[in-house]
Amino acid sequence: MTSPSIALEQVRKVYSDYVALDDVDLDVRSGEFLTLLGPSGSGKTTLLMAIAGFVRPDAGVIRIGAADVTRLPVNKRDIGIVFQNYALFPHMSVLGNVEYPLHVRKRPRAEARERATAALARVQLDSYATRDIAALSGGQRQRVALARAVVFEPQVLLMDEPLSALDKNLREQMQFEIRKLQQELGITTIYVTHDQREALTMSDRIAVMNAGRIEQLDAPQAIYRSPRSRFVADFMGESNIIPAALVQPLGTPHPQGATLIIRAENLGLEREAASGGGVAIEGRVTAQAFRGENWQLRLDIGSERDLLLSIPSGRSVNWADAQPGQSLTAYAANRHIHILP
Amino acid sequence: MTVATAVVNADGLRRDAAAERRFFLSLALPSLVIVGIGAILPVVWILQQSLMTGQGDFTLANYTSLLTSGLTWKSLLVTLELSGATLLCCLLLGVPLAFLLASTSPKTASGLMVLILLPLWTSILVRTYGWLVLLRRDGLINDILVGSGFVSEPVPLVYNFAGTLIGMVHYMLPIFVLPTYAAMRDIDGNVVRAAASMGAGLWRCFRTVILPLASGGIVSGSIIVFVYTLGFFITPAILGGGRISPIAIRIDRTLSTLQDWGGAAALGILLLVIVAVLGAMSLGATRLVGPRRARG
């Protein structure tokens, strides 16, 4: 069985005081891992809940495969969902939770037990079957929720910030486990997060959302390297958005009035950083900080926002004792400069 | 040096902790005194009365005549029937009501809550006479029933078991709904959504998720209703019209018409024992079947 595609056409949802979904079109390919990424209030969770059937859109069509599910109730949509706070049944054992969807589907007891045990084995929890939910750690609960969401072989899988309650190390480990499971099952998955790094790590494609619209839908590398709007550049973290007038071109000048986007890690303090053509930007140091894998340096370049530089900490640090107020020049090569369309 | 630093200030900190415990104990003192004087002493006095003849000699006659009298057993049966029927009605009406409250928006829920709590702010006497006006032969309900041709004769709705039951359910329903609603409101909405996403319809969600998770509130509401109604007096006195005699009414009659203090005291102790036994049993049952709640 191949997992179906999901298609949204002109999906609209207006709450009394704001537009949560502003005529959203989206095509999720069969077997794809697609992430809805955006700040809170961008509409990503509303969109996921509309696909799940918990939010009734005001207008639009939602298709899973060829079937129009827009007016189908939740329990008829055949969707696996993993919720933010696990949403496990506290009055059932681990196995009871995972068997539940099979009982609902009236599968024979022996089959339900067998399939639930197999699903728990997939998430390395088969030895926890008889435990109480209360006796599990956060990571284990998340695994149970995952097993429960896929045990009945739903058509598609939806996840609403499933890792946000876990600490950083566990979160990174779970990102790989979820991705691995998703690829093994080949199940079409929509994943909601506000964490851009998580989105980059896990996704086939990312849809960046803002104010009820999809700002950009692209593969992770494309979103990261070639943001199509100021919002996307900003949201993907540590990007400098600079008017062309503030930079000195080393080679062909940029068009008048253009806006340049240069990521913090692509700026250097040596002339070689712009070898083969690029730009130089002069500024005064306002702050510096050691952040483990890199140094962060902030330069006042006469723009609204400071210029951010991120320099690997392994590199020579002759500038590291740069004092606030000191003048420095930052360089970037043309291949690292993205011009906003 | 390290040993010395380990005990620095320990005495002072221990004294602070002790002073804090004393302070909280002193806060509980007034209520302990009131419970002691207001509740335990009268019970001791009643127990003493039940074991005495009119002349003040020790006797077990009050109990033997009580337990051999058919009237006592009849009263006891009526008492249990009334409490049981009230509890059943509260369950049938209250659980769906609590579910409705818990599933509407908080704003609607608080509006409905006021309506449910309104009877609690009215005197039980006023409410009971209110029901009398509605239920009697020429009352509003019979007027409507007869006027609409639904029945040809007025239906006996009051001065019987049914009338007493209506009054008691009306009194106890809000008291039952409160803990049930609280338990249902505390259920994580995503848990119910999860059940729905796995294919469970409304009835199945209710039966397999909401009901078990709210069972704590339902059980405590049930205990309150049952135990509370065992001692009901005003409602059966007014709406029972002398035909319904639960134990509380027997106690009153034993005192006011027979002037039998010893007999009344023995009845009182009997009621107390029944309440205590049933209370202990239901508490034990709660521990056994209570829901396993996830922590954190």
Side-chain angles (χ1 to χ4, degrees), chain A residues 52 54 72-78 104-105, chain B residues 195-202:
Chain A
F54 296 119
L72 208 61
V74 187
N75 55 331
K76 302 267 193 280
R77 288 196 186 188
D78 197 22
V104 170
R105 283 172 172 68
Chain B
S197 75
M198 288 180 273
L202 186 64

Side-chain angles (χ1 to χ4, degrees), chain B:
Chain B
M1 191 62 199
T2 46
V3 175
T5 51
V7 295
V8 164
N9 215 12
D11 281 338
L13 290 168
R14 209 177 299 130
R15 270 200 302 281
D16 286 353
E20 210 168 86
R21 272 197 301 276
R22 275 199 301 279
F23 172 69
F24 284 115
L25 205 64
S26 69
L27 286 182
L29 208 60
S31 60
L32 286 177
V33 170
I34 290 172
V35 168
I37 296 174
I40 295 173
L41 280 184
V43 170
V44 172
W45 183 79
I46 290 172
L47 187 65
Q48 195 190 358
Q49 287 287 313
S50 73
L51 293 168
M52 286 195 316
T53 63
Q55 284 69 45
D57 304 319
F58 175 80
T59 178
L60 285 173
N62 288 327
Y63 285 98
T64 48
S65 65
L66 194 72
L67 295 174
T68 50
S69 152
L71 275 181
T72 311
W73 296 106
K74 238 177 104 183
S75 283
L76 202 58
L77 190 65
V78 169
T79 309
L80 294 175
E81 277 174 358
L82 268 179
S83 294
T86 307
L87 176 55
L88 193 68
C89 292
C90 280
L91 283 168
L92 290 177
L93 296 171
V95 170
L97 182 60
F99 181 55
L100 174 79
L101 280 174
S103 46
T104 55
S105 70
K107 215 172 144 188
T108 321
S110 56
L112 287 171
M113 210 64 209
V114 171
L115 289 180
I116 289 167
L117 290 178
L118 209 58
L120 278 186
W121 302 336
T122 324
S123 149
I124 182 165
L125 211 56
V126 173
R127 276 193 283 162
T128 311
Y129 276 111
W131 275 112
L132 197 59
V133 171
L134 288 175
L135 295 173
R136 64 186 179 203
R137 270 186 78 81
D138 56 347
L140 188 64
I141 292 175
N142 267 320
D143 278 357
I144 293 171
L145 285 177
V146 175
S148 64
F150 220 64
V151 291
S152 51
E153 280 281 292
V155 185
L157 289 172
V158 80
Y159 304 135
N160 56 15
F161 190 86
T164 311
L165 184 62
I166 291 172
M168 284 170 75
V169 170
H170 181 226
Y171 187 80
M172 294 311 296
L173 193 58
I175 296 169
F176 175 82
V177 165
L178 282 177
T180 304
Y181 164 60
M184 285 188 180
R185 194 197 43 201
D186 284 351
I187 297 174
D188 177 6
N190 274 347
V191 170
V192 184
R193 280 186 207 110
S197 75
M198 288 180 273
L202 186 64
W203 171 238
R204 199 178 180 105
C205 276
F206 185 75
R207 200 163 47 81
T208 58
V209 178
I210 294 164
L211 218 49
L213 288 179
S215 62
I218 295 174
V219 169
S220 32
S222 302
I223 294 175
I224 295 171
V225 167
F226 197 79
V227 167
Y228 211 94
T229 47
L230 285 177
F232 251 46
F233 175 75
I234 294 177
T235 312
I238 296 171
L239 296 175
R243 279 176 230 165
I244 300 294
S245 326
I247 289 192
I249 294 215
R250 285 222 64 75
I251 294 176
D252 175 61
R253 225 171 273 162
T254 312
L255 264 182
S256 58
T257 47
L258 305 175
Q259 301 286 325
D260 178 5
W261 284 82
L267 269 171
I269 294 296
L270 181 68
L271 187 57
L272 190 71
V273 168
I274 292 170
V275 168
V277 167
L278 286 174
M281 271 167 57
S282 37
L283 275 182
T286 327
R287 294 236 176 85
L288 280 179
V289 304
R292 297 182 290 189
R293 297 301 301 261
R295 290 176 296 273

Side-chain angles (χ1 to χ4, degrees), chain A residues 171-205:
Chain A
R171 199 159 65 221
E172 285 174 359
Q173 186 194 334
M174 285 300 293
Q175 287 169 5
F176 284 101
E177 286 189 25
I178 291 176
R179 177 61 163 151
K180 184 162 155 275
L181 181 74
Q182 185 266 338
Q183 283 174 327
E184 282 169 8
L185 298 173
I187 188 169
T188 311
T189 300
I190 303 182
Y191 188 99
V192 162
T193 185
H194 62 263
D195 180 341
Q196 38 102 1
R197 191 183 287 269
E198 191 166 292
L200 292 171
T201 306
M202 301 177 79
S203 319
D204 290 318
R205 284 191 302 163

Side-chain angles (χ1 to χ4, degrees), chain A residues 4 23 36 41 51 54 73 85 98-99 102 126 147 151 180 194 236 266 299-300 302 334-335:
Chain A
D23 298 332
L36 301 175
I51 298 167
F54 296 119
N85 294 316
V98 183
E99 282 180 342
L102 301 169
D126 33 341
V151 71
K180 184 162 155 275
H194 62 263
M236 295 312 289
N266 292 329
L299 300 183
D300 177 5
N334 275 336
R335 66 191 143 90

Side-chain angles (χ1 to χ4, degrees), chain A:
Chain A
M1 179 196 99
T2 50
S3 187
S5 56
I6 302 170
L8 277 66
E9 276 170 42
Q10 302 280 301
V11 174
R12 184 170 188 81
K13 179 72 189 175
V14 181
Y15 290 109
S16 52
D17 49 346
Y18 74 107
V19 181
L21 297 176
D22 193 358
D23 298 332
V24 174
D25 290 299
L26 177 65
D27 281 293
V28 188
R29 297 165 190 154
S30 169
E32 183 178 32
F33 193 115
L34 183 132
T35 297
L36 301 175
L37 174 68
S40 56
S42 59
K44 58 190 193 302
T45 296
T46 310
L47 187 59
L48 193 81
M49 290 299 139
I51 298 167
F54 296 119
V55 166
R56 178 174 295 146
D58 299 332
V61 177
I62 299 167
R63 282 196 186 82
I64 297 178
D68 179 350
V69 300
T70 321
R71 297 174 64 188
L72 208 61
V74 187
N75 55 331
K76 302 267 193 280
R77 288 196 186 188
D78 197 22
I79 290 175
I81 305 179
V82 178
F83 291 90
Q84 193 168 7
N85 294 316
Y86 323 126
L88 297 173
F89 303 129
H91 57 301
M92 296 179 198
S93 67
V94 168
L95 189 66
N97 266 276
V98 183
E99 282 180 342
Y100 186 86
L102 301 169
H103 288 327
V104 170
R105 283 172 172 68
K106 308 237 172 3
R107 305 311 306 166
R109 235 156 238 291
E111 186 202 321
R113 176 131 315 182
E114 193 183 314
R115 282 170 66 181
T117 309
L120 281 172
R122 265 192 189 282
V123 294
Q124 292 95 44
L125 279 180
D126 33 341
S127 56
Y128 288 75
T130 56
R131 298 272 182 102
D132 267 6
I133 297 304
L136 301 185
S137 70
Q140 290 167 336
R141 287 181 199 192
Q142 194 52 70
R143 287 205 180 97
V144 176
L146 199 58
R148 190 180 65 171
V150 299
V151 71
F152 58 102
E153 294 172 1
Q155 296 193 77
V156 297
L157 183 61
L158 307 181
M159 298 197 228
D160 183 16
E161 308 214 19
L163 304 180
S164 58
L166 303 179
D167 64 53
K168 187 168 176 285
N169 285 339
L170 192 55
R171 199 159 65 221
E172 285 174 359
Q173 186 194 334
M174 285 300 293
Q175 287 169 5
F176 284 101
E177 286 189 25
I178 291 176
R179 177 61 163 151
K180 184 162 155 275
L181 181 74
Q182 185 266 338
Q183 283 174 327
E184 282 169 8
L185 298 173
I187 188 169
T188 311
T189 300
I190 303 182
Y191 188 99
V192 162
T193 185
H194 62 263
D195 180 341
Q196 38 102 1
R197 191 183 287 269
E198 191 166 292
L200 292 171
T201 306
M202 301 177 79
S203 319
D204 290 318
R205 284 191 302 163
I206 299 172
V208 182
M209 290 195 68
N210 177 34
R213 294 171 164 279
I214 292 175
E215 288 261 342
Q216 187 170 355
L217 174 61
D218 250 322
Q221 299 221 6
I223 294 263
Y224 188 79
R225 296 217 175 104
S226 333
R228 272 216 301 270
S229 70
R230 185 177 281 263
F231 176 85
V232 175
D234 224 14
F235 194 74
M236 295 312 289
E238 309 235 313
S239 270
N240 295 293
I241 303 168
I242 319 157
L246 288 177
V247 307
Q248 299 153 20
L250 310 169
T252 32
H254 299 285
Q256 200 69 36
T259 303
L260 313 186
I261 292 174
I262 310 173
R263 298 201 60 87
E265 73 264 27
N266 292 329
L267 281 161
L269 290 166
E270 295 89 19
R271 185 69 171 74
E272 297 87 76
S275 59
V279 296
I281 309 164
E282 278 176 16
R284 286 173 183 282
V285 177
T286 59
Q288 58 155 347
F290 177 62
R291 302 201 303 176
E293 74 269 27
N294 59 36
W295 287 88
Q296 193 186 69
L297 197 61
R298 286 169 175 272
L299 300 183
D300 177 5
I301 55 166
S303 168
E304 257 173 70
R305 282 197 287 184
D306 283 353
L307 187 74
L308 276 180
L309 283 83
S310 169
I311 293 166
S313 44
R315 235 175 269 165
S316 70
V317 287
N318 54 0
W319 55 270
D321 45 19
Q323 296 303 311
Q326 187 180 335
S327 293
L328 284 176
T329 307
Y331 298 93
N334 275 336
R335 66 191 143 90
H336 288 137
I337 300 171
H338 177 71
I339 297 175
L340 262 193

